Amino acid sequence: MKSAKIVGLGKYLPPKILTNLDLEKRVDTTDEWITTRTGIKSRHIVENNTPVSVLAKEASLIALKRAGIKPKDLDLIIVATITPDTQFPSTACYLQDYLKAKKACCFDVSAACAGFVYALTCAWQFLKTGFYKNALIVGGEVLTSITDWEDRSTCVLFGDGAGAAVLVPTGKDGILSSYLGADGSEADLLILPGGGSRNPVSARVVEERLNYIKMRGNELFRIAVRIMVEAAKKSLRMAKLTSKSVKLLIPHQANIRIINAVAKRLELEGKTYINIDRYGNMSSASSAIALCEAWEEKKIKKDDIIVLDAFGGGLVWGSCVIKWI
Ligand code: UT7
């Protein structure tokens, strides 16, 4: 076997919708500012502290059904998330238990908004070497659990959700290339400072609101555009293709202005999937849900070349080129 292909996709969005008008009542913001600066109109959010594993389960059941693979036959489960149910066990372990996928080995990937592309690349490697016969990967987040509802510069951006993909080995095509990168020297640009071993949970951490996402949006913006363009070009080069062959670009959904700038520089305007208006930024879940939704909307057909392209806190980034089979 030389590669791996996706044989099932699923997504789950919690039913409750938070609109910009709802946010106007909570913080000093306007629908107009959020819409023009970010492209977001609404986002889905969990209620009653629903953990990310529950969202992951719903998305996974759909993906497994579409793939025709039974949970008991799964070899590998990878969950990409920065909002795990608990620091440990991994969310993948909780998911395994829900699914009764007793044979599967399980781990989480922490690569923020590039998490789904990182997880996809890991699964691809396990499958192309013949180490495993199938894999379930999930990008899932409950970002509202680490959102500071007193910080208007971040609380308007994020949403909750999960997307899942089932992969099997294939002799040709499927995933053609992957380019992953990171730059830990810029960690402070987008960070959850509290709750880990650097700043364990304490009264001080809570008082200083370090248990919430901190972001230097302006600086990130410029880097995001440059790196996402570079990453997509690199993965296309690795696949011996150019953007002329691309049917659909599926970029991480952080900001409509980033998406449009990346699409323009790659000459892929009009061939770019956008759903940020309905869901906001869902970190690792954004790419997973966008891929699933594009497929459900029949925007992906056999033999199409599609490019996933993501960037996030770490910094981390990744791009995968897939020939759909
Ligand atoms: O997902 C991983 C990667 N994430 C990203 O790449 C995010 C990249 N960054 C962004 O998307 C944008 O930088 C943001 C959407 C976060 C912010 O947009 P911006 O155009 O860069 O705004 P800004 O931070 O420069 O703020 C402009 C103004 C400020 O007011 P002053 O100082 O000019 O008076 C802010 O205080 O907008 C103000 N502002 C708001 N006003 C109304 C910030 N947030 C809000 C708000 N409502 N929610």
Side-chain angles (χ1 to χ4, degrees):
M1 287 298 164
K2 288 203 183 101
S3 191
K5 62 177 176 176
I6 293 171
V7 288
L9 290 163
K11 70 172 200 290
Y12 181 76
L13 281 312
K16 187 174 166 65
I17 294 173
L18 186 72
T19 65
N20 291 352
L21 299 179
D22 296 328
L23 280 165
E24 282 186 359
K25 294 179 200 136
R26 256 176 139 154
V27 283
D28 180 17
T29 192
T30 59
D31 171 45
E32 206 256 328
W33 190 95
I34 304 171
T35 307
T36 53
R37 305 311 293 165
T38 74
I40 303 166
K41 294 299 281 183
S42 60
R43 65 290 286 145
H44 289 245
I45 61 168
V46 303
E47 295 178 277
N48 308 318
N49 294 332
T50 305
V52 69
S53 60
V54 171
L55 313 191
K57 177 190 72 174
E58 298 300 333
S60 298
L61 287 172
I62 297 167
L64 284 161
K65 191 163 183 217
R66 286 173 173 166
I69 290 181
K70 293 194 174 57
K72 72 174 176 51
D73 297 324
L74 276 175
D75 289 337
L76 169 66
I77 299 175
I78 307 174
V79 175
T81 187
I82 51 165
T83 48
D85 283 33
T86 49
Q87 288 241 18
F88 78 92
S90 68
T91 300
C93 283
Y94 294 114
L95 179 59
Q96 186 221 37
D97 186 45
Y98 288 138
L99 297 174
K100 301 287 170 245
K102 287 194 180 303
K103 193 162 69 100
C105 94
C106 301
F107 62 92
D108 286 0
V109 162
S110 174
C113 306
F116 186 72
V117 178
Y118 268 63
L120 184 67
T121 305
C122 291
W124 175 44
Q125 295 303 307
F126 275 112
L127 297 172
K128 73 188 269 192
T129 56
F131 199 81
Y132 287 132
K133 294 277 175 290
N134 58 50
L136 167 68
I137 62 167
V138 178
E141 305 288 359
V142 178
L143 287 184
T144 54
S145 66
I146 53 169
T147 297
D148 187 346
W149 295 106
E150 290 181 10
D151 175 9
R152 70 172 182 174
S153 71
T154 54
C155 76
V156 302
L157 304 174
F158 305 117
D160 303 330
V166 177
L167 290 103
V168 298
T170 180
K172 65 178 182 70
D173 297 334
I175 299 171
L176 300 181
S177 71
S178 170
Y179 165 65
L180 304 179
D183 178 4
S185 71
E186 301 278 22
D188 285 347
L189 292 184
L190 181 50
I191 185 169
L192 180 69
S197 53
R198 194 171 283 215
N199 285 304
V201 178
S202 67
R204 180 186 68 84
V205 162
V206 174
E207 201 177 301
E208 294 178 9
R209 308 184 81 75
L210 301 179
N211 52 321
Y212 297 123
I213 300 173
K214 309 285 177 215
M215 179 163 97
R216 304 215 308 259
N218 233 306
E219 290 162 70
L220 267 182
F221 191 105
R222 282 188 294 275
I223 304 173
V225 174
R226 178 174 54 79
I227 287 187
M228 286 174 74
V229 171
E230 270 172 30
K233 282 186 176 167
K234 273 198 178 150
S235 65
L236 279 164
R237 248 194 327 270
M238 289 161 90
K240 300 190 173 51
L241 295 170
T242 66
S243 52
K244 285 196 176 37
S245 342
V246 176
K247 274 280 161 56
L248 192 65
L249 171 70
I250 302 183
H252 173 53
Q253 313 276 314
N255 186 315
I256 189 68
R257 292 180 295 135
I258 295 178
I259 295 171
N260 287 340
V262 170
K264 187 166 182 206
R265 286 175 203 195
L266 292 171
E267 296 179 34
L268 288 171
E269 287 161 301
K271 293 181 175 177
T272 299
Y273 193 78
I274 297 168
N275 63 11
I276 188 173
D277 49 326
R278 286 172 288 138
Y279 303 140
N281 180 350
M282 298 177 288
S283 192
S284 71
S286 284
S287 298
I289 289 173
L291 175 64
C292 176
E293 213 164 67
W295 177 81
E296 286 171 345
E297 290 168 5
K298 304 202 180 339
K299 293 196 166 108
I300 302 174
K301 300 203 175 66
K302 190 174 175 308
D303 294 332
D304 281 355
I305 299 292
I306 63 165
V307 177
L308 291 169
D309 193 14
F311 167 85
L315 302 176
V316 288
W317 54 90
S319 178
C320 274
V321 178
I322 303 173
K323 182 168 182 184
W324 203 260
I325 45 174

